[in-house]
Amino acid sequence: MPKALTFFEDETKLVEELHDSYPQNVDFKNNLAISYAKLGETHTALGNLPQALTFFEEMSRLFEELYASYPQNVSFKNGLAISYQKLGRPHTALGNLPKALTFF
């Protein structure tokens, strides 16, 4: 898992650079959200739930922006729903059930 984390961090850095260079490119924003999801999942597997939450929050923020800009895009709506589910799981594991419930 630590090696996977390194690769996902490298991927995210590249996608962040692309997104920063071309913020109007919807694919780069979508890919950045997916990269944050991978980092969140990896940190979850490593037991670092607070760090996982940080990445899931970024994922959710990006999908909220994407869905708000393109409400007809079902993939962005699905990504937003998945981001809420991903936010709920660590809150459940950390014992913050009321917060988890808001995401579920």
Side-chain angles (χ1 to χ4, degrees), residues 52-93:
L53 274 172
T54 299
F55 287 114
F56 291 144
E57 288 166 353
E58 284 300 304
M59 173 197 181
S60 186
R61 179 185 64 79
L62 290 172
F63 274 120
E64 285 173 353
E65 291 174 9
L66 286 165
Y67 181 58
S69 296
Y70 303 94
Q72 74 284 3
N73 188 315
V74 178
S75 293
F76 296 157
K77 186 175 187 176
N78 185 55
L80 182 57
I82 290 169
S83 75
Y84 292 154
Q85 181 259 344
K86 288 183 183 294
L87 282 166
R89 288 184 309 176
H91 279 294
T92 300

Side-chain angles (χ1 to χ4, degrees), residues 3 16 18 29 43 63 76 85 88:
K3 187 71 169 173
E16 285 174 336
L18 286 168
K29 184 180 268 192
H43 278 286
F63 274 120
F76 296 157
Q85 181 259 344

